[in-house]
Amino acid sequence: MAGGGVHASSGPVAETYARARHQLLIPAWAVLLIFVAVPVAMMLIYSFLTKEFRGGVIWEFSLAAYDQFFFDRGLFGDEPPKFEWTYVTIFWRSIWQAGLATILSLLIGFPTAYFIATRPEKTRAIWLFLVTIPYWVNLLIRTVSMKFLLRDQGPMNDALLALGVLEEPLRIINTNLAVQLGLFYSYLPFMVLPIYAAVERYNFTYSEAAADLYASKWATLRRVVLPVVKPGVIAGCILVFVPSLGAFLAPDLLGGAKNFMIGSLIEEQFKGNAGNWPFGAAASMILLTLVIIVLLISTTQQRKTREPG
Amino acid sequence: MTDSSTPAVDIENAAKRYGDFTAIKSMSLSIRDNEFFTLLGPSGCGKTTLLRMIAGFEDVTEGAIFLFGSEIEQLPPNKRPVNTVFQNYALFPHMTILENVSFGLEMQGNSRVDAHKRAGEMLELVQLSEFAQRKPAQLSGGQQQRVALARALAPSPRVLLLDEPLSALDLKLRKAMQIELKHLQRETGITFIFVTHDQEEALTMSDRIAVMSAGELQQLGEPRDVYERPRNRFVADFIGDTNLLEVAITDIADNLASCHVQGGHQIQCGASEGVSKGMTAHLSVRPERLLLSAAPAEEGSLRASVKENIFVGTDITTLLTLDGGPDLTVRTSNSARGAARVFDPGADVFVTVEAGAARLLIN
Ligand SMILES: Nc1ncnc2c1ncn2[C@@H]1O[C@H](COP(=O)(O)OP(=O)(O)OP(=O)(O)O)[C@@H](O)[C@H]1O
Ligand SMILES: [Mg+2]
């Protein structure tokens, strides 16, 4: 740990520093407390309460929400409990969809970021600006436009048919692919930007050294460039995967009823009178746990690349 | 094996331009096999550019480069039997020292086991075996430099390019590494092309030196040759210390030129090619080849007065002014102090130019 030596020493100077450090961190702690700890705590508590029929909760402890999530016949009934697949399937589908969207983003985002980072310094800002332009428009509008583009009689199909590439329109809308494309389009800059930052910092003499040592372009990319910029790649993947996992706009608008994802499931629980707040909170907690597991895995990965073998 | 008369690297009228700027002006030079060859020149003169052209990182705007007789313009860097020790080492930060050194071997198609074995031997050679499992960031500058060297040598290149590999080291380590490098070159028989802007380093290490300035080759020769017979003012000034005196040639007889120095002084020296009566030129005399005495010597001395004495360990440097003329620097070995007198500032002295020590330069 950098600076560890300073704090290890004691004495008046070290103590003053330590105190000043803590005082300077107060605003950060306050923000974390108000915007992270309190909402998560509320969600955790709500997930263990009893549902009120017109939305809201009754302040009475209950495991019903988790029970409903995992088990078909109640865990506390007379008959032996049976595992409930509905919601787990939705979760699994969400992970799968978010994963594919992340891979798609990586496949497109890495070359894009690499391309931008290797442009002359003056033109890089322009390229980055171009990448971020669509994100000045609200996500809902972008997703609706995507739906319009991908429609059976939409501009994309019209163009492909007119060009004779296709005989029949591609039926993309209301498929998993549409959702993946939607998620990919929603979060692509989150992949491009961290990878760009890593590649921009990358010292290209490493690539020259690799070429000098008989590495082909591909070997250089695989053995030298990728491992060195890996932290940026991991950051990009997390930034795309995590919001994709909880997204509800793209699955709702592009995927239709069949391709329901966790985000939509949770959203429904808090919408109108039909909702079930404790169940929504429980699903959120389960999602949060999943995300934390993903983050833990990736941080240990990052640490492995940084720390000497 | 190629026949030993084939040059390792043959540069023929090679030029390099970046837009309007010419980094290397049409240059021709031949580097022999098994040679310790040094490119010497001030910062920005194009040394790195020339190395990068040989390694294949820059293309040649004009002319051609041959490696052991074959043209290499079409060969990408990874197909050239040339390895580089980069100025900033460029060790792969995510790999251990051992992995760094075995990288080139693996890329050549050796199995990982074989590559690691040979890399281990290379690390032994540069005395870094105990650091094999460390990452580059955990080594000192000097250690990293040795890793870079081991990494470049491991795949047994036919030519090794070294771009100021010692510039980051402190004086002591640098001297030690100079000797180590020289030994290594002799042992392996690999052609070394060594870049430096340190003339002393060039003189101690090289078989031959190419002195460059502003993208042009100024002189090519053995260290002694370049030091004692500089071809022009730039080389005389850049290599070692020298006294450069502006002179007018008053007479030429028996291949001996009489040179007139401001203040009415006369110095005789061998007339080099292109020298003619009546022209002005420069005379270069190394400070250690001037003698001081209280009385004039028979072969003719110049009158001067002492300005200052500077003690520099092994030597004493005396600054003088020729009567009515320019300043001169004289270096006297400290060991000869008993014999050669040290004159106090203000003293009038006579300066004698050692026979054959003055060199006439017309450009
Ligand atoms: N990519 C480039 N574009 C334009 N000019 C360049 C480029 N690379 C180098 N130059 C110029 O070419 C000249 C030679 O550069 P080079 O790096 O070969 O010098 P050098 O002799 O190695 O100097 P140093 O001792 O400082 O390393 C310099 O004037 C430099 O500014
Ligand atoms: Mg250089």
Side-chain angles (χ1 to χ4, degrees):
Chain A
M1 290 285 145
V6 177
H7 312 305
S9 66
S10 53
V13 178
E15 266 168 40
T16 314
Y17 270 118
R19 203 176 311 129
R21 219 158 46 90
H22 285 303
Q23 284 166 359
L24 287 171
L25 281 175
I26 288 174
W29 284 117
V31 167
L32 285 177
L33 185 75
I34 296 168
F35 294 105
V36 179
V38 171
V40 170
M42 276 171 64
M43 205 161 69
L44 183 67
I45 293 167
Y46 272 50
S47 72
F48 288 107
L49 295 178
T50 308
K51 83 169 175 181
E52 165 91 85
F53 278 98
R54 259 172 268 113
V57 287
I58 302 168
W59 281 81
E60 209 170 274
F61 178 79
S62 159
L63 283 175
Y66 292 94
D67 185 29
Q68 183 188 344
F69 193 96
F70 290 112
F71 299 103
D72 183 11
R73 288 192 288 266
L75 186 53
F76 310 107
D78 301 330
E79 289 177 77
K82 192 171 144 237
F83 201 78
E84 165 70 80
W85 287 103
T86 316
Y87 304 116
V88 174
T89 308
I90 293 175
F91 261 65
W92 177 242
R93 186 190 303 136
S94 305
I95 293 170
W96 178 248
Q97 293 282 66
L100 287 179
T102 307
I103 291 169
L104 192 59
S105 303
L106 182 61
L107 290 180
I108 305 287
F110 189 90
T112 309
Y114 192 90
F115 172 84
I116 297 172
T118 49
R119 288 317 92 193
E121 212 162 327
K122 274 185 223 150
T123 50
R124 284 182 212 158
I126 301 171
W127 287 108
L128 283 178
F129 180 66
L130 289 177
V131 167
T132 49
I133 276 188
Y135 300 84
W136 296 68
V137 175
N138 178 285
L139 180 61
L140 177 62
I141 295 171
R142 273 187 289 135
T143 313
V144 172
S145 325
M146 187 87 175
K147 181 173 181 148
F148 173 76
L149 271 173
L150 296 178
R151 267 187 335 187
D152 294 356
Q153 280 89 35
M156 191 189 78
N157 272 317
D158 286 353
L160 290 176
L161 287 170
L163 286 172
V165 182
L166 298 174
E167 305 263 298
E168 300 238 317
L170 274 178
R171 310 213 177 274
I172 295 180
I173 220 73
N174 292 350
T175 64
N176 281 339
L177 180 63
V179 178
Q180 286 147 25
L181 286 175
L183 292 174
F184 156 76
Y185 179 52
S186 302
Y187 303 115
L188 183 63
F190 296 135
M191 183 64 85
V192 173
L193 295 176
I195 297 179
Y196 163 79
V199 177
E200 201 233 17
R201 261 182 292 132
Y202 173 76
N203 179 353
F204 279 90
T205 32
Y206 297 148
S207 293
E208 287 188 347
D212 193 61
L213 293 163
Y214 315 105
S216 62
K217 289 228 156 74
W218 171 244
T220 303
L221 180 71
R222 207 173 54 82
R223 299 272 316 255
V224 180
V225 182
L226 276 178
V228 175
V229 303
K230 192 166 149 197
V233 173
I234 291 178
C237 288
I238 290 172
L239 288 179
V240 171
F241 182 77
V242 169
S244 295
L245 196 55
F248 59 87
L249 278 178
D252 269 8
L253 293 172
L254 302 168
K258 273 201 324 252
N259 301 299
F260 213 63
M261 281 174 57
I262 323 169
S264 317
L265 176 69
I266 294 170
E267 187 213 4
E268 270 190 1
Q269 307 311 318
F270 295 97
K271 229 164 57 177
N273 291 341
N276 179 342
W277 287 21
F279 182 69
S284 301
M285 285 314 294
I286 294 162
L287 178 60
L288 183 65
T289 313
L290 264 175
V291 168
I292 288 172
I293 290 170
V294 170
L295 289 179
L296 282 178
I297 292 171
S298 69
T299 41
T300 47
Q301 273 294 313
Q302 301 246 28
R303 199 165 296 147
K304 239 192 270 163
T305 55
R306 260 179 224 152
E307 269 170 20
Chain B
M1 280 280 107
T2 14
D3 135 39
S4 65
S5 62
T6 314
V9 178
D10 202 3
I11 299 168
E12 285 187 6
N13 301 314
K16 175 73 197 175
R17 275 188 288 278
Y18 296 107
D20 295 341
F21 179 76
T22 306
I24 301 285
K25 291 171 196 147
S26 179
M27 184 178 288
S28 293
L29 67 99
S30 245
I31 297 158
R32 297 175 194 142
D33 201 6
N34 301 342
E35 183 171 38
F36 197 118
F37 190 90
T38 298
L39 293 172
L40 174 67
S43 185
C45 73
K47 306 179 295 288
T48 299
T49 306
L50 192 61
L51 272 201
R52 291 173 59 82
M53 285 157 73
I54 298 171
F57 301 129
E58 304 282 356
D59 35 69
V60 181
T61 317
E62 240 170 54
I65 297 179
F66 297 85
L67 211 65
F68 296 98
S70 46
E71 231 261 328
I72 51 169
E73 178 60 18
Q74 298 309 318
L75 282 186
N78 58 331
K79 301 260 168 65
R80 300 188 184 192
V82 168
N83 285 161
T84 309
V85 178
F86 290 85
Q87 188 158 4
N88 53 7
Y89 313 144
L91 298 176
F92 306 126
H94 59 293
M95 295 185 195
T96 63
I97 299 310
L98 188 72
E99 287 166 346
N100 261 284
V101 177
S102 68
F103 185 84
L105 295 160
E106 282 174 47
M107 290 300 131
Q108 279 182 322
N110 294 295
S111 74
R112 180 160 291 201
V113 178
D114 291 350
H116 278 202
K117 188 163 161 281
R118 168 122 172 92
E121 290 163 13
M122 289 310 301
L123 284 179
E124 225 160 87
L125 184 68
V126 296
Q127 294 160 23
L128 285 175
S129 303
E130 54 190 307
F131 301 112
Q133 294 311 321
R134 290 215 197 162
K135 292 277 173 77
Q138 297 168 301
L139 297 190
S140 76
Q143 290 163 342
Q144 289 182 28
Q145 197 274 323
R146 269 142 66 198
V147 176
L149 189 65
R151 185 178 72 170
L153 279 172
S156 315
R158 303 197 61 187
V159 177
L160 189 70
L161 309 177
L162 303 103
D163 193 355
E164 303 197 31
L166 307 182
S167 59
L169 308 183
D170 66 58
L171 190 65
K172 211 159 179 180
L173 190 54
R174 196 158 153 171
K175 297 260 180 219
M177 281 306 298
Q178 287 176 359
I179 296 168
E180 251 179 79
L181 270 183
K182 184 82 200 167
H183 277 173
L184 215 58
Q185 193 269 331
R186 286 237 182 83
E187 270 167 39
T188 57
I190 293 172
T191 307
F192 275 35
I193 305 180
F194 184 87
V195 162
T196 181
H197 57 238
D198 180 342
Q199 46 94 15
E200 205 179 312
E201 194 164 277
L203 291 174
T204 35
M205 299 176 75
S206 323
D207 292 327
R208 285 194 307 155
I209 300 175
V211 185
M212 291 172 62
S213 154
E216 276 180 301
L217 183 63
Q218 299 295 330
Q219 185 166 3
L220 175 64
E222 287 169 18
R224 206 175 176 119
D225 200 36
V226 175
Y227 184 80
E228 286 178 355
R229 282 178 292 282
R231 247 185 50 194
N232 57 28
R233 252 194 302 160
F234 174 82
V235 177
D237 199 33
F238 191 73
I239 308 239
D241 296 326
T242 199
N243 292 293
L244 272 180
L245 302 172
E246 209 180 314
V247 295
I249 316 285
T250 51
D251 193 21
I252 300 184
D254 295 340
N255 227 3
L256 217 59
S258 302
C259 307
H260 175 93
V261 186
Q262 192 195 344
H265 306 278
Q266 286 289 337
I267 300 176
Q268 297 279 333
C269 96
S272 37
E273 213 178 302
V275 176
S276 59
K277 189 174 160 179
M279 76 189 296
T280 56
H282 281 85
L283 205 59
S284 161
V285 192
R286 301 286 180 197
E288 68 272 18
R289 309 205 56 183
L290 289 171
L291 306 171
L292 295 182
S293 53
E298 279 169 32
E299 61 268 31
S301 311
L302 317 173
R303 291 176 70 94
S305 63
V306 176
K307 268 173 44 178
E308 208 176 333
N309 286 304
I310 300 163
F311 175 69
V312 282
T314 53
D315 301 317
I316 291 172
T317 301
T318 308
L319 304 181
L320 332 152
T321 308
L322 287 182
D323 285 359
D327 287 355
L328 277 185
T329 309
V330 178
R331 190 173 304 141
T332 318
S333 167
N334 213 359
S335 63
R337 214 160 128 203
R341 250 183 79 193
V342 175
F343 296 91
D344 292 328
D348 286 328
V349 290
F350 288 89
V351 191
T352 315
V353 180
E354 240 181 66
R359 194 164 158 81
L360 203 51
L361 306 169
I362 51 176
N363 50 27

